[in-house]
Amino acid sequence: MSDDPAQPREGLRDRLTDRLYGLGWSAVKKLPEPVARTLFRTIADQAWKRRGKSVLRLESNLARVVPGASPARLAELSKAGMRSYMRYWMESFRLPTWSPARIKASIDVSDAHRLTDGLGAGRGVILALPHLANWDLAGAWVTTDLKVPFTTVAERLRPETLYDRFVAYREGLGMEVLPHSGGAAFGTLARRLRAGGLVCLVADRDLSASGVEVTFFGDTARMPAGPALLAQQTGALLLPVTLSYDDTPVMKARIHPPVEEPESGDRTEKTSSMTQALADAFAVGIADHPEDWHMLQRLWLADLEPREDRT
């Protein structure tokens, strides 16, 4: 038995977090939709008014996306950003109850032919997205309207029961979900792609040692190498996707032109070039709709807390 007094507190916090998410999936989907929308907008506004660390970090990130924005403009964007973030959660809690017709009516996809043509040719396809709007809704559209299953990865969460909830939720939408940790995910993704399958990855933040440094809104950030490496190893089509909300219930999606593998260079150079191309496509969508970018964490290397020197 541990003597660390922090462990009981962490365990209590983990159990509370799991129960809150469980309550969301069980209760929110039963509310009338206007009530749910009002509730989550109120939650967003209250969180924004508290000016906690997440809101301040969101504003700091938005200051890079919208250079020269006044403090009033950044506050306006962060308030809209929190409302967008809470819309994502409200929709996600209710999404398991939506019919295929409702899902189809809730998303408008531009240049979908880039995806369907690639799959129709028997070529594996990788969709890479940033944390914009509701990527789960986009995934549900793929599995219900296109009737195409796909594979994705999910970061392991604490507590394990919360991770299990997210896996069950996404599997219920027709996704195959692999754990991000453990090293086996990459091989499984590659096998799916070589068989002509579809892989979808959220790919705008990677603080691990394997992340690729990119120039993003004028400064250096790290993004995952996985999408570019998978495309090189399997010959799969790599398609950036950006999403956005507007004042309607319909989310907009754009499938960008494919990121091509460079003709020259070694694997590292090609991976760097392709990941930069993804970052550039993400930047287009984020700049057009900064309020829908749900990046409430540190991203740019200059913003990361320096490690203390130890002697």
Side-chain angles (χ1 to χ4, degrees), residues 50-68:
R50 284 198 296 269
R51 309 290 292 164
K53 289 182 179 180
S54 294
V55 172
L56 295 178
R57 174 51 51 192
L58 177 61
E59 284 188 10
S60 177
N61 290 339
L62 289 171
R64 292 180 181 272
V65 174
V66 189

Side-chain angles (χ1 to χ4, degrees), residues 2-288:
S2 173
D3 294 327
D4 184 355
Q7 287 193 4
R9 291 197 299 272
E10 291 177 357
L12 178 61
R13 185 168 59 248
D14 288 348
R15 291 194 297 273
L16 178 60
T17 300
D18 178 57
R19 288 172 184 172
L20 286 173
Y21 278 99
L23 179 64
W25 269 299
S26 63
V28 174
K29 63 186 178 183
K30 298 177 183 177
L31 293 174
E33 187 153 331
V35 174
R37 290 188 180 279
T38 300
L39 172 63
F40 276 75
R41 176 165 286 204
T42 301
I43 292 171
D45 290 350
Q46 290 299 318
W48 178 79
K49 287 179 181 177
R50 284 198 296 269
R51 309 290 292 164
K53 289 182 179 180
S54 294
V55 172
L56 295 178
R57 174 51 51 192
L58 177 61
E59 284 188 10
S60 177
N61 290 339
L62 289 171
R64 292 180 181 272
V65 174
V66 189
S70 67
R73 173 59 176 154
L74 289 175
E76 177 186 314
L77 281 173
S78 68
K79 184 175 184 178
M82 292 305 295
R83 288 182 172 185
S84 174
Y85 186 46
M86 286 298 106
R87 176 174 170 177
Y88 161 78
W89 281 112
M90 188 273 294
E91 289 178 347
S92 294
F93 286 140
R94 298 172 68 85
L95 197 52
T97 67
W98 286 9
S99 67
R102 171 68 189 275
I103 291 170
K104 181 178 181 179
S106 298
I107 183 169
D108 178 19
V109 183
S110 298
D111 296 314
H113 67 90
R114 291 179 172 138
L115 169 59
T116 55
D117 289 352
L119 292 170
R123 184 178 182 184
V125 177
I126 305 162
L127 297 181
L129 308 87
H131 287 83
L132 273 171
N134 191 338
W135 46 97
D136 286 330
L137 173 56
W141 170 77
V142 170
T143 58
T144 58
D145 191 45
L146 297 186
K147 295 182 172 53
V148 176
F150 68 86
T151 305
T152 188
V153 297
E155 181 181 356
R156 284 202 173 276
L157 303 171
R158 291 183 55 190
E160 189 74 14
T161 50
L162 179 57
Y163 170 77
D164 292 341
R165 286 187 191 275
F166 272 95
V167 170
Y169 157 63
R170 291 189 168 116
E171 287 180 341
L173 298 175
M175 311 175 192
E176 179 188 23
V177 182
L178 307 175
H180 186 272
S181 59
F186 189 92
T188 302
L189 295 173
R191 287 193 294 274
R192 300 291 183 268
L193 292 168
R194 290 191 182 101
L198 177 63
V199 164
C200 298
L201 300 170
V202 179
D204 58 343
R205 184 174 185 265
D206 187 343
L207 303 182
S208 71
S210 61
V212 176
E213 292 191 2
V214 297
T215 300
F216 195 54
F217 290 102
D219 209 342
T220 304
R222 287 198 194 103
M223 293 189 180
L229 286 172
L230 284 166
Q232 291 175 68
Q233 289 196 16
T234 66
L237 192 66
L238 176 54
L239 296 173
V241 179
T242 55
L243 310 170
S244 64
Y245 290 132
D246 55 21
D247 293 332
T248 74
V250 181
M251 183 178 73
K252 307 304 187 289
R254 177 186 175 189
I255 301 178
H256 295 253
V259 172
E260 303 291 350
E261 179 179 345
E263 294 182 0
S264 61
D266 60 22
R267 177 175 293 181
T268 299
E269 292 168 337
K270 290 181 177 182
T271 301
S272 177
S273 175
M274 295 172 74
T275 306
Q276 182 63 61
L278 277 181
D280 293 343
F282 294 166
V284 170
I286 293 168
D288 286 345

Side-chain angles (χ1 to χ4, degrees), residues 296-307:
L296 281 67
Q297 302 86 21
R298 298 175 189 270
L299 176 68
W300 284 273
L301 301 192
D303 293 337
L304 300 180
E305 295 178 351
R307 295 181 180 179

